[in-house]
């Protein structure tokens, strides 16, 4: 910790100069994106209003890595899981290898604006079983199924059970023998582009030979 007086001629160094390399990384603001799953065929997700707790992330990385990306993908939002009680989704930001964040954003929330939306329960009676192999006959063991519909109040309040279709697609399941099966069902609202069914549904069917 004290200064020492010395004769520089008495000290020999292996090198008088040194080259120092300082890596310079590129930074970029990349928007955050996500996709929907289990969207009904008739539904336009552009009708959903939402906000992200962070719409972009500031990242750092080498040029050849950072230039590969135009956005950072968060994940998938399941339409069936969006409800009045839980109108949001939460994602952990996962950056591609070689990128690091500069603004330390690790969690992003997507909050859906469901103002003037309502949920309503119906006993759907239109149960359709499609794509049945010709050598079998398939029937539903129930004549109605309770479903919950979410959407703008003016749309949902105009619905009746007759507007709802519960569909089982047998092409997604291989039939190897007769008997009873528990199968997944999809709920459709043909022509009602702003409403959808929340939750998952299944029914019991009976398979017989023709």
């Amino acid at each position: 910790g004290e200064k020492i007086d010395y004769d520089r001629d008495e000290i020999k160094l292996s090198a008088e100069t040194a080259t120092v390399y300082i890596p310079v990384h590129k930074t970029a603001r990349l928007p955050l994106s996500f996709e929907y799953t289990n969207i009904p065929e008739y539904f336009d997700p552009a009708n959903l209003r939402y906000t992200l707790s962070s719409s972009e992330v500031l990242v750092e990385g080498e040029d050849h890595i950072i230039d590969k990306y135009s956005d950072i993908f968060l994940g998938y939002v399941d339409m069936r899981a969006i409800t009045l009680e839980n109108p949001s989704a939460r994602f952990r930001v996962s950056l591609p290898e070689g990128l690091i964040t500069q603004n330390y954003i690790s969690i992003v929330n997507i909050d859906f604006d469901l103002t003037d939306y309502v949920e309503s329960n119906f006993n759907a009676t239109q149960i359709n079983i499609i794509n049945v192999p010709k050598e079998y006959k398939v029937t539903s063991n129930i004549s109605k199924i309770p479903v919950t519909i979410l959407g703008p109040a003016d749309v949902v309040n105009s619905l009746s059970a007759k507007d709802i279709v519960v569909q089982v697609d047998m092409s997604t399941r291989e039939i190897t023998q007769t008997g009873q099966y528990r199968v997944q069902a999809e709920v459709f609202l043909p022509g009602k582009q702003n409403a959808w069914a929340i939750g998952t549904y299944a029914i019991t069917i009976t398979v017989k030979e023709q």
Side-chain angles (χ1 to χ4, degrees):
E2 297 180 5
K3 183 178 179 180
I4 299 176
D5 293 324
Y6 66 94
D7 184 349
R8 290 188 63 87
D9 294 334
E10 296 176 356
I11 297 178
K12 297 185 183 299
L13 302 177
S14 61
E16 294 293 333
T17 62
T19 302
V20 178
Y21 294 93
I22 302 176
V24 178
H25 284 179
K26 183 176 183 178
T27 62
R29 293 187 179 274
L30 297 180
L32 298 171
S33 64
F34 68 94
E35 295 289 345
Y36 295 97
T37 60
N38 295 306
I39 304 176
E41 295 176 357
Y42 58 83
F43 187 82
D44 182 1
N47 293 322
L48 282 174
R49 302 183 302 270
Y50 64 85
T51 57
L52 286 86
S53 57
S54 298
S55 60
E56 62 182 18
V57 61
L58 179 62
V59 297
E60 170 190 328
E62 296 183 19
D63 288 17
H64 72 281
I65 297 177
I66 209 168
D67 289 342
K68 289 192 218 177
Y69 303 99
S70 59
D71 66 357
I72 298 297
F73 184 67
L74 292 172
Y76 295 92
V77 174
D78 188 346
M79 284 284 297
R80 302 171 304 183
I82 302 174
T83 67
L84 292 180
E85 184 177 348
N86 183 31
S88 62
R90 185 179 177 88
F91 292 96
R92 180 172 295 279
V93 179
S94 179
L95 296 179
E97 186 176 355
L99 297 183
I100 60 174
T101 177
Q102 283 200 333
N103 50 0
Y104 304 103
I105 295 174
S106 59
I107 298 293
V108 171
N109 292 321
I110 303 174
D111 297 308
F112 293 92
D113 181 3
L114 300 183
T115 304
D116 298 326
Y117 277 54
V118 297
E119 292 178 9
S120 188
N121 298 317
F122 298 87
N123 286 316
T125 57
Q126 188 171 342
I127 301 174
N128 293 344
I129 302 175
I130 65 172
N131 295 322
V132 179
K134 62 182 180 180
E135 63 268 29
Y136 293 101
K137 179 180 179 180
V138 180
T139 56
S140 170
N141 288 15
I142 59 173
S143 58
K144 62 182 178 181
I145 180 172
V147 300
T148 303
I149 303 299
L150 172 62
D154 58 337
V155 175
V156 175
N157 292 337
S158 68
L159 288 175
S160 70
K162 295 180 180 179
D163 297 311
I164 302 170
V165 176
V166 178
Q167 179 176 285
V168 173
D169 187 350
M170 296 304 296
S171 67
T172 63
R173 183 186 183 100
E174 182 180 3
I175 299 178
T176 58
Q177 59 185 12
T178 58
Q180 294 188 350
Y181 298 91
R182 188 74 172 167
V183 294
Q184 294 296 314
E186 294 182 89
V187 178
F188 295 94
L189 299 170
K192 305 297 182 180
Q193 296 186 4
N194 293 332
W196 67 95
I198 61 177
T200 58
Y201 300 89
I203 66 171
T204 302
I205 59 173
T206 298
V207 179
K208 296 180 179 180
E209 291 183 349
Q210 287 278 29

